[in-house]
Amino acid sequence: MTKENVQGASEEEQQAQSKKALKKQQKEAEKAAKKAEKQAKLASEQQEAEEDDFAMDRYGICPMVQSQQKLDRALVRVQDLTPEKAEQQIWVRARIHTSRAKGKQCFLVLRHQQFTVQALLAVGDRASKQMVKFAANLTKESIIDVEAVVKKVEQKIESCSQQDVELHVERIFVISQSEARLPLQLEDAVRPEGEGDEEGRATVNQDTRLDNRVIDLRTTTSQAIFRLQSGVCQLFRDTLINKGFVEIQTPKIISAASEGGANVFTVSYFKTSAYLAQSPQLYKQMCICADFDKVFCVGPVFRAEDSNTHRHLTEFVGLDIEMAFNYHYHEVIDSITDTMVQIFKGLRDRFQTEIQTVNKQYPSEPFKFLEPTLRLEYKEAVAMLRAAGVEMGDEEDLSTPNEKLLGRLVKEKYDTDFFVLDKYPLAVRPFYTMPDPNNAKYSNSYDMFMRGEEILSGAQRVHDAQLLTERAMHHGIDLEKIKAYIDSFRYGAPPHAGGGIGLERVTMLYLGLHNVRQTSMFPRDPKRLTP
Amino acid sequence: MTKENVQGASEEEQQAQSKKALKKQQKEAEKAAKKAEKQAKLASEQQEAEEDDFAMDRYGICPMVQSQQKLDRALVRVQDLTPEKAEQQIWVRARIHTSRAKGKQCFLVLRHQQFTVQALLAVGDRASKQMVKFAANLTKESIIDVEAVVKKVEQKIESCSQQDVELHVERIFVISQSEARLPLQLEDAVRPEGEGDEEGRATVNQDTRLDNRVIDLRTTTSQAIFRLQSGVCQLFRDTLINKGFVEIQTPKIISAASEGGANVFTVSYFKTSAYLAQSPQLYKQMCICADFDKVFCVGPVFRAEDSNTHRHLTEFVGLDIEMAFNYHYHEVIDSITDTMVQIFKGLRDRFQTEIQTVNKQYPSEPFKFLEPTLRLEYKEAVAMLRAAGVEMGDEEDLSTPNEKLLGRLVKEKYDTDFFVLDKYPLAVRPFYTMPDPNNAKYSNSYDMFMRGEEILSGAQRVHDAQLLTERAMHHGIDLEKIKAYIDSFRYGAPPHAGGGIGLERVTMLYLGLHNVRQTSMFPRDPKRLTP
């Protein structure tokens, strides 16, 4: 018996596998051969041209940057190419966004992140015919280093972000070549929805975008969305750290599926099974019982829900808060709403460029909020909905369409895109929710909404082991599975409340986008696990 | 057929289950009854006492804080109890750390987080005999509200953090009662190792600590460790954001096990299988190919290694960096080492109290670092080790003992606890590592060390699809499984490098601790999944 057989593969299987591997290798070899051929052709063309090419050392394809040398050469960023740099000779690294040959000239648009600049090569003293041809033949999305003189222009270049200057190229070298055939065109990917249809131009559908995310993320819209999202995280944490919160790290692999075990992913864990945490809540609460008083965490949250909607992901980023309070859970609501307001203000004041960039492709109204934040009771919301013709019971949960409608009604009445809905019916909340002391039908729990969609769910938690046991039994939860959780409250526990915010939803709704996949770099849903 | 039967449980099973549930309910009921009885006894005692108790409304057990009212009462924090507050009447919420009755007096030490203050009740005008007895009988770790007058003391109270004042208690109410029997004593849990043995006092072993983490995290040492760790994350991110980095969020559930599929956890994903990401590296690199230029992320990393050592966890927090560079990957090393130096300086300058608190239990030398950071080549390290008597080949990887030894040799020679080891042998690094352009045996890769233990592993990555394919084939990796990864480099990719840092190791080694479980709030290893 061969070693491989011991590991379980039959000889036939092995042969099939090695055939497959062989085929793959052949394919790769063919590909390599083709590429070599192409490069040889390019090289021979260049050689041919060299004889009468005075500019032959001013352009070409660089060897792969393998850290061969520490070159003492400053690279200027595209965004820094302004009239103050006029007449300076500089080096720039950028991608070829577009390229257009016109007689003895070649116009390039060079791009770095969301910034673009026009560059010009013209046959003359500094560029040969061959050099201009070389530039004109470069594939879009290739990365190049150019040496150029910055020139002020008479007429603004409307198609570029740097409208007042252009580059007169003197040297041009390829750092990384792109394949000629792109899976999607960047100009199609930033075209506003609808505009494509009208003018017979292409737009790019969502699956094509996500399948080719590396290219789709290069668009001005994507660059803006994810820079702003980075800002949301930063504002969230900075605000909380200023308020005296401590950042914690909670485990994602857990031994027991909390809350009954529905919608939870199972993990093989050595010789046993484990689960992926649906929220860090139980751990946040343990930190409160361990006297950290005010804690937050930012991390992945997993939901095995087979929901294929515009706002559900199977993995998303939770911005989680938990906080001990003195006498009333509204102390915590106030802390959370103030944090949200600081985020909204920070985005408005520091990310205006990004907001406007996204609006070009996806127009939306500026996000409105009040100070202090509007807080409505569930009862009031039900009354508003009923007045608008909705039929619903006092203790019935809000459906998604009713949440949307409520959002519109609140916007009309109070002119805000952000509000808190307080005092949910006890029946529609999890077992660890503190009942309202004055009305057994309700609870000390709340949701927060942006543009009529829920972004946070939270509550005062039951901090008494006895009451928690009763509530868990009432919900039919196996006490054995939540023993460690309940035991956490046996040795003195401060009253506390908290909540979890969905990062992708906050970004989506702040920007007025319509699909959470636009604000998740590599979204996961029941049908998508790649890239 | 009943609904339950449809779901797969036989009637017998159901009966067994309901018997079990019944038993549990009975047990709970008995418990509740006992508690009620106890409370009734307390109440009756109080009632008995009330007749001649002038202080009866000055103490007692509060109803559970259920947000019954918004009490307009400021609570002073223990840490703010200083001589400036002398003679002021204030309210404090704290835990009972210790309690000692002595004749007509009761001395309490009240604790909030890492701060403690002495409080005194004495039979007299303001406290009755019954009230002092009530205070003396309160269980340790219970949370109380006290109203007290702050008094300066003649002689410093050495056993408390607030040494210059004590509280003369006028009212005392229990907010949350602790069970009398604690699974571990806080004073045992902070006793320096060894000291317990000498004096015949108890220390607490690691499993007891981790099994009862909610209590263990209350110690001054734990409070300090995790406040400092929160600081590490904050310093890491603030430094990088100042350097123009963008924070990204990468998926943890992935469709293919990268790097050959060893040591990876499998997840059931609806009707298929998926894996937990061993690192965010492939996604960080895609972001570089998508022009984000400089990215970082902070998040969980999963390793299904059956390693039961002081420094391995199956889930830990990765601080990950990836960065495009111009000409040489040392640009990236410089960025990372500067980030580490900013972290070390920030901890030294802003967390001195925490460092000293930890040192009381776990003494260690202050952490030393150089500016700029020392960078050694692998060859030099091998030479140093050989000079110290170690036999090893040029292309052999460093064993853990040899890393430790190297750390000591470097400390002796250069007086630093932090250094970079550059230019590892190509053979011991992953397939995506860029080979050294000048010597095929080596690579553009590096590790970073703190106190002789690795905290970061990184490299220049191969950014050319063709070379990457060759390297993957050389490592025997199934190209089909990493197709999306390789394809990311086909449309122009900037040269780039990066690395991943283990948060728990940084905290452990900075503080000179000896087990990574001390710096993970809820550690996961092959044998531990709870709490």
Side-chain angles (χ1 to χ4, degrees):
Chain A
M1 225 182 209
T2 66
K3 195 184 166 200
E4 283 76 15
N5 274 343
V6 174
Q7 294 180 348
S10 75
E11 264 181 47
E12 265 176 55
E13 278 171 344
Q14 281 179 59
Q15 281 180 358
Q17 277 176 0
S18 46
K19 257 190 205 168
K20 210 173 152 191
L22 200 70
K23 228 175 168 179
K24 224 178 271 170
Q25 281 186 3
Q26 281 174 343
K27 220 173 158 185
E28 285 299 326
E30 276 168 35
K31 230 182 190 170
K34 257 192 192 163
K35 194 176 171 184
E37 199 184 316
K38 205 170 155 190
Q39 278 177 336
K41 202 183 150 200
L42 266 173
S44 90
E45 278 177 5
Q46 204 171 326
Q47 178 125 40
E48 229 174 79
E50 269 173 24
E51 285 148 44
D52 59 342
D53 185 0
F54 67 90
M56 56 177 271
D57 57 350
R58 292 176 168 269
Y59 65 96
I61 296 167
C62 288
M64 180 173 65
V65 177
Q66 209 177 339
S67 305
Q68 290 90 339
Q69 54 175 333
K70 294 191 178 178
L71 202 58
D72 189 21
R73 178 194 288 168
L75 295 175
V76 176
R77 296 185 305 173
V78 171
Q79 67 196 95
D80 297 330
L81 295 171
T82 53
E84 289 79 59
K85 291 217 162 44
E87 300 308 321
Q88 288 182 22
Q89 182 135 348
I90 50 118
W91 280 95
V92 172
R93 177 170 296 177
R95 285 189 193 273
I96 296 182
H97 187 58
T98 62
S99 147
R100 185 165 52 91
K102 196 180 171 186
K104 291 183 167 180
Q105 292 187 316
C106 173
F107 291 90
L108 302 173
V109 172
L110 304 185
R111 188 186 83 239
H112 179 240
Q113 298 175 341
Q114 61 268 55
F115 306 100
T116 47
V117 68
Q118 178 165 283
L120 172 69
L121 285 94
V123 176
D125 283 359
R126 291 190 173 137
S128 61
K129 209 166 62 180
Q130 296 90 334
M131 178 172 163
V132 175
K133 193 179 161 194
F134 171 83
N137 284 335
L138 291 175
T139 48
K140 274 203 268 189
E141 293 300 305
S142 292
I143 298 173
I144 55 171
D145 278 5
V146 298
E147 190 181 30
V149 177
V150 182
K151 293 282 183 186
K152 263 196 234 182
V153 291
E154 298 287 300
Q155 217 174 352
K156 275 190 188 293
I157 302 169
E158 299 288 346
S159 57
C160 289
S161 71
Q162 310 312 105
Q163 306 199 326
D164 302 314
V165 295
E166 66 178 10
L167 299 178
H168 289 194
V169 177
E170 308 208 334
R171 289 171 199 271
I172 179 165
F173 295 98
V174 175
I175 295 297
S176 175
Q177 265 184 298
S178 170
E179 290 191 2
R181 210 185 134 81
L182 295 172
L184 60 88
Q185 301 298 319
L186 270 81
E187 59 268 35
D188 295 341
V190 294
R191 192 161 288 137
E193 275 164 30
E195 206 169 277
D197 308 339
E198 283 166 29
E199 304 176 24
R201 285 175 180 166
T203 51
V204 184
N205 76 37
Q206 186 171 269
D207 275 328
T208 306
R209 287 176 188 279
L210 296 179
D211 287 342
N212 301 283
R213 196 60 160 159
V214 165
I215 313 240
D216 184 48
L217 287 176
R218 291 180 192 168
T219 64
T220 48
T221 306
S222 295
Q223 290 281 322
I225 288 172
F226 291 103
R227 278 165 203 284
L228 182 134
Q229 186 165 73
S230 173
V232 173
C233 292
Q234 195 194 343
L235 288 160
F236 175 77
R237 287 185 305 242
D238 287 353
T239 306
L240 292 172
I241 284 176
N242 283 339
K243 287 177 188 288
F245 278 71
V246 173
E247 178 173 7
I248 59 167
Q249 308 290 340
T250 66
K252 305 309 164 198
I253 302 181
I254 56 174
S255 62
S258 51
E259 301 177 39
N263 301 334
V264 69
F265 288 114
T266 308
V267 185
S268 308
Y269 196 80
F270 302 101
K271 283 168 187 156
T272 175
S273 275
Y275 306 94
L276 291 182
Q278 289 166 294
S279 95
Q281 197 205 310
L282 312 191
Y283 293 95
K284 287 189 303 180
Q285 288 191 258
M286 288 195 210
C287 290
I288 296 300
C289 295
D291 293 346
F292 284 95
D293 268 17
K294 300 172 176 182
V295 298
F296 73 89
C297 55
V298 176
V301 163
F302 306 93
R303 304 275 164 93
E305 287 177 59
D306 198 0
S307 301
N308 295 279
T309 78
H310 78 284
R311 65 195 192 114
H312 284 91
L313 294 171
T314 51
E315 177 182 344
F316 64 90
V317 176
L319 307 175
D320 269 272
I321 291 177
E322 202 71 29
M323 178 181 152
F325 63 81
N326 296 340
Y327 299 105
H328 201 290
Y329 73 100
H330 282 179
E331 299 165 30
V332 179
I333 289 189
D334 291 346
S335 251
I336 300 177
T337 53
D338 181 63
T339 302
M340 293 308 299
V341 165
Q342 297 311 318
I343 293 174
F344 301 148
K345 283 185 175 174
L347 294 179
R348 181 193 65 194
D349 298 343
R350 285 152 57 181
F351 290 87
Q352 206 45 243
T353 314
E354 282 77 8
I355 294 167
Q356 282 168 16
T357 301
V358 176
N359 277 345
K360 270 185 209 160
Q361 181 169 7
Y362 302 104
S364 78
E365 294 292 311
F367 188 84
K368 287 199 170 178
F369 56 94
L370 300 174
E371 276 187 279
T373 299
L374 174 68
R375 191 177 65 234
L376 293 174
E377 291 212 359
Y378 198 83
K379 281 179 204 167
E380 298 174 69
V382 172
M384 282 173 79
L385 285 169
R386 282 180 184 153
V390 173
E391 284 180 33
M392 66 177 290
D394 285 345
E395 293 180 72
E396 199 182 318
D397 207 354
L398 287 180
S399 66
T400 306
N402 282 346
E403 284 182 353
K404 276 270 186 196
L405 172 57
L406 179 64
R408 285 197 299 276
L409 298 172
V410 169
K411 179 76 182 267
E412 274 167 30
K413 188 166 175 188
Y414 299 99
D415 197 28
T416 179
D417 289 309
F418 178 62
F419 68 96
V420 184
L421 197 54
D422 192 17
K423 296 265 169 227
Y424 269 68
L426 183 60
V428 303
R429 307 296 275 198
F431 74 94
Y432 47 72
T433 308
M434 182 64 87
D436 184 320
N438 305 314
N439 187 335
K441 274 187 181 180
Y442 292 94
S443 65
N444 294 351
S445 69
Y446 42 86
D447 276 9
M448 298 189 188
F449 292 86
M450 286 173 66
R451 299 198 203 251
E453 296 194 36
E454 180 247 312
I455 55 127
L456 171 141
S457 197
Q460 177 179 355
R461 327 293 187 177
V462 175
H463 63 282
D464 177 89
Q466 182 58 34
L467 179 57
L468 196 55
T469 306
E470 285 164 25
R471 296 297 308 154
M473 280 167 67
H474 179 82
H475 278 255
I477 290 168
D478 183 349
L479 292 176
E480 212 40 57
K481 286 196 176 156
I482 56 168
K483 185 174 180 304
Y485 175 58
I486 293 182
D487 286 348
S488 309
F489 303 99
R490 296 198 188 281
Y491 307 102
H496 61 285
I501 300 166
L503 171 63
E504 293 85 354
R505 286 193 187 175
V506 170
T507 313
M508 168 179 81
L509 294 164
Y510 183 83
L511 288 170
L513 298 173
H514 300 293
N515 196 308
V516 79
R517 288 161 190 78
Q518 293 176 301
T519 56
S520 171
M521 272 198 169
F522 303 99
R524 295 291 180 257
D525 65 34
K527 289 171 185 152
R528 178 171 290 279
L529 259 173
T530 53
Chain B
M1 221 184 211
T2 65
K3 195 183 167 201
E4 283 74 14
N5 273 345
V6 174
Q7 295 180 346
S10 75
E11 262 182 49
E12 265 176 52
E13 279 172 344
Q14 283 179 58
Q15 280 178 0
Q17 277 175 0
S18 48
K19 256 190 202 167
K20 209 171 151 192
L22 201 71
K23 224 173 169 182
K24 227 177 269 170
Q25 280 186 4
Q26 281 174 344
K27 218 171 157 188
E28 284 300 327
E30 276 168 32
K31 230 179 187 172
K34 256 191 191 164
K35 196 175 169 181
E37 197 183 315
K38 206 169 154 190
Q39 279 178 335
K41 200 181 149 202
L42 266 172
S44 90
E45 279 178 5
Q46 203 171 328
Q47 178 122 41
E48 229 173 77
E50 269 172 22
E51 285 147 44
D52 59 343
D53 186 359
F54 67 91
M56 57 176 271
D57 58 352
R58 294 176 166 269
Y59 64 95
I61 296 168
C62 288
M64 180 173 63
V65 177
Q66 208 177 340
S67 306
Q68 291 88 340
Q69 53 175 334
K70 293 190 179 180
L71 201 58
D72 190 21
R73 177 194 289 169
L75 294 175
V76 176
R77 296 184 306 171
V78 171
Q79 66 196 96
D80 297 329
L81 294 171
T82 54
E84 289 79 61
K85 292 218 160 45
E87 300 309 321
Q88 290 182 24
Q89 182 136 348
I90 49 121
W91 280 93
V92 172
R93 177 168 297 175
R95 286 189 192 272
I96 296 182
H97 187 59
T98 63
S99 146
R100 186 165 52 92
K102 197 179 169 185
K104 291 183 166 180
Q105 292 187 315
C106 173
F107 291 91
L108 302 173
V109 173
L110 304 185
R111 189 186 83 241
H112 178 240
Q113 298 175 340
Q114 61 268 54
F115 306 100
T116 47
V117 68
Q118 179 165 280
L120 173 69
L121 285 94
V123 176
D125 283 358
R126 292 192 173 137
S128 61
K129 208 168 58 180
Q130 296 90 332
M131 178 172 164
V132 174
K133 193 179 162 199
F134 171 83
N137 284 335
L138 292 175
T139 49
K140 274 204 267 190
E141 294 301 305
S142 292
I143 298 173
I144 55 171
D145 278 3
V146 298
E147 190 181 30
V149 177
V150 182
K151 293 281 183 187
K152 265 197 236 184
V153 292
E154 299 286 301
Q155 219 173 350
K156 275 189 187 293
I157 302 169
E158 299 288 346
S159 58
C160 289
S161 71
Q162 310 312 106
Q163 307 199 328
D164 303 314
V165 295
E166 66 178 11
L167 299 178
H168 288 195
V169 176
E170 308 210 332
R171 292 172 197 269
I172 180 166
F173 295 99
V174 174
I175 295 297
S176 174
Q177 265 185 298
S178 171
E179 290 191 2
R181 209 185 135 82
L182 294 172
L184 60 90
Q185 300 299 320
L186 270 80
E187 59 268 37
D188 296 340
V190 294
R191 193 160 288 137
E193 275 163 31
E195 207 168 276
D197 307 338
E198 284 166 29
E199 302 176 26
R201 286 176 180 164
T203 50
V204 184
N205 77 35
Q206 187 171 269
D207 275 328
T208 306
R209 287 176 188 279
L210 295 179
D211 288 341
N212 302 283
R213 197 58 160 159
V214 164
I215 313 237
D216 184 48
L217 288 175
R218 291 179 192 169
T219 64
T220 49
T221 306
S222 295
Q223 291 281 322
I225 288 172
F226 291 102
R227 277 164 205 283
L228 182 132
Q229 186 165 75
S230 174
V232 173
C233 292
Q234 195 194 344
L235 288 160
F236 174 77
R237 287 184 306 242
D238 287 354
T239 306
L240 292 173
I241 283 174
N242 283 339
K243 288 177 188 288
F245 278 71
V246 174
E247 178 174 7
I248 58 168
Q249 307 290 342
T250 67
K252 305 309 166 201
I253 302 181
I254 56 174
S255 62
S258 50
E259 304 177 37
N263 300 333
V264 68
F265 288 114
T266 309
V267 184
S268 307
Y269 196 80
F270 301 101
K271 282 169 187 155
T272 175
S273 275
Y275 306 93
L276 291 182
Q278 289 167 292
S279 95
Q281 198 206 310
L282 311 190
Y283 292 95
K284 288 189 302 180
Q285 287 191 259
M286 288 196 212
C287 290
I288 296 301
C289 294
D291 294 346
F292 283 96
D293 269 19
K294 300 172 175 182
V295 299
F296 73 89
C297 55
V298 176
V301 162
F302 306 92
R303 304 276 164 93
E305 286 177 59
D306 198 0
S307 301
N308 296 279
T309 78
H310 77 285
R311 66 195 191 113
H312 284 91
L313 295 171
T314 51
E315 178 182 343
F316 64 90
V317 177
L319 308 175
D320 268 274
I321 291 177
E322 202 72 27
M323 177 182 154
F325 62 80
N326 295 340
Y327 300 106
H328 202 290
Y329 73 99
H330 283 179
E331 298 164 31
V332 179
I333 290 189
D334 292 345
S335 251
I336 300 177
T337 53
D338 181 62
T339 302
M340 293 307 299
V341 165
Q342 297 310 320
I343 293 174
F344 300 148
K345 284 184 175 173
L347 294 180
R348 181 193 64 195
D349 299 342
R350 286 151 55 180
F351 290 87
Q352 206 45 241
T353 315
E354 283 76 9
I355 295 167
Q356 282 168 16
T357 302
V358 176
N359 277 344
K360 269 184 211 159
Q361 182 168 8
Y362 303 104
S364 78
E365 293 293 310
F367 188 83
K368 288 200 168 176
F369 56 94
L370 301 174
E371 277 187 280
T373 299
L374 175 67
R375 190 177 66 233
L376 292 174
E377 291 213 357
Y378 198 82
K379 279 179 206 169
E380 298 174 70
V382 171
M384 283 173 79
L385 285 168
R386 282 180 185 156
V390 173
E391 283 180 36
M392 67 177 291
D394 286 344
E395 293 179 72
E396 200 182 317
D397 207 354
L398 288 179
S399 67
T400 306
N402 283 347
E403 284 182 352
K404 275 269 187 196
L405 174 56
L406 179 64
R408 285 197 298 277
L409 297 172
V410 169
K411 179 77 181 268
E412 275 168 30
K413 189 165 172 186
Y414 300 98
D415 198 30
T416 180
D417 288 309
F418 178 61
F419 69 97
V420 183
L421 197 52
D422 191 18
K423 296 265 165 224
Y424 269 68
L426 183 60
V428 304
R429 308 296 276 199
F431 75 95
Y432 46 72
T433 308
M434 182 64 86
D436 184 320
N438 306 313
N439 188 334
K441 274 185 177 180
Y442 292 94
S443 66
N444 294 350
S445 70
Y446 41 86
D447 276 9
M448 297 189 188
F449 292 86
M450 286 173 66
R451 301 197 204 250
E453 296 195 35
E454 180 248 309
I455 55 128
L456 171 140
S457 199
Q460 178 181 353
R461 327 294 188 179
V462 176
H463 62 282
D464 176 88
Q466 182 57 35
L467 179 58
L468 195 56
T469 306
E470 285 165 24
R471 296 297 309 156
M473 280 167 68
H474 178 82
H475 278 255
I477 289 167
D478 184 348
L479 293 176
E480 212 41 58
K481 284 194 176 157
I482 56 169
K483 186 173 179 305
Y485 176 57
I486 293 182
D487 286 349
S488 309
F489 302 100
R490 296 196 188 282
Y491 307 103
H496 61 286
I501 300 165
L503 171 63
E504 293 85 353
R505 286 193 188 177
V506 171
T507 313
M508 168 178 80
L509 294 164
Y510 184 84
L511 288 170
L513 298 173
H514 298 293
N515 196 310
V516 78
R517 289 162 189 78
Q518 292 176 301
T519 55
S520 171
M521 272 196 169
F522 303 100
R524 295 293 179 254
D525 65 33
K527 288 170 185 153
R528 178 171 289 280
L529 259 173
T530 52

